[in-house]
Amino acid sequence: MVTNRTFTMLKPDAVEKGHIGAILDKISASGFKVVALKLTHMTTADAKAFYAIHSERPFYGELVEYMTRGPIVAAVLEKDNAVEDFRTLIGATNPADAAEGTIRKLYAASIGENAVHGSDSDENAAIESAFHFAGREMF
Ligand code: UDP
Ligand code: MG
């Protein structure tokens, strides 16, 4: 398994607010190489499947609504220690708890609408990348 890659989504709130360029710039400036990239719109079935691990959580319905209300940017990123370093770059799930300078501190509105996704393990990074990209779309 490739262990120097992670998967991210710039979520609908970030796209709606016009933050695609600023967030991708910060990701690149932080040493991540973009190896796959697209603008896409998840269906309800897509979002339910992507977040299936959270299906018993009280916020699942709202999360699926939010993630399907507009397009997202999906990307695969490469860097040494990618999963952990990207989680550090995006900050805590709740922007109120996120460190200064993190993407969620800068761009997220709330714990629900938190601008960006980052994989939580190498295994999930591979699963989530394959969910959104064909092999020929990853470089
Ligand atoms: N979420 C939410 N309410 C919560 C916790 C999470 O709406 O109390 C949403 C939020 O968009 C979050 C996503 O569900 O990013 C997945 O939750 P997770 O705990 O995996 O957080 P993450 O890994 O994204 O930091
Ligand atoms: Mg998570």
Side-chain angles (χ1 to χ4, degrees), residues 4 10 30 38 64 76 85 108 111 114 123-124 130 134:
N4 59 342
L10 312 191
S30 301
K38 71 172 139 192
V64 170
V76 181
D85 285 2
I111 190 169
N114 59 3
E123 184 187 11
N124 284 335

Side-chain angles (χ1 to χ4, degrees), residues 1-86:
M1 181 187 293
V2 177
T3 58
N4 59 342
R5 289 186 169 193
T6 192
F7 172 79
T8 187
M9 295 182 288
L10 312 191
K11 297 182 177 183
D13 57 320
V15 174
E16 285 160 10
K17 292 172 184 166
H19 291 148
I20 295 173
I23 294 174
L24 288 179
D25 197 33
K26 188 164 177 65
I27 289 170
S28 295
S30 301
F32 293 86
K33 180 182 171 192
V34 176
V35 296
L37 182 70
K38 71 172 139 192
L39 191 67
T40 184
H41 193 153
M42 296 172 91
T43 65
T44 298
D46 289 333
K48 282 184 171 172
F50 187 90
Y51 284 112
I53 194 164
H54 294 307
S55 62
E56 302 305 318
R57 308 283 290 278
F59 58 81
Y60 183 62
E62 271 180 43
L63 177 59
V64 170
E65 284 276 313
Y66 158 54
M67 290 302 297
T68 57
R69 79 171 186 226
I72 60 154
V73 173
V76 181
L77 306 172
E78 191 170 274
K79 181 185 181 296
D80 287 348
N81 204 36
V83 166
E84 188 183 349
D85 285 2
F86 193 69

Side-chain angles (χ1 to χ4, degrees), residues 117-134:
H117 169 83
S119 304
D120 62 8
S121 66
D122 290 338
E123 184 187 11
N124 284 335
I127 291 168
E128 292 168 1
S129 297
F131 186 93
H132 279 278
F133 293 100

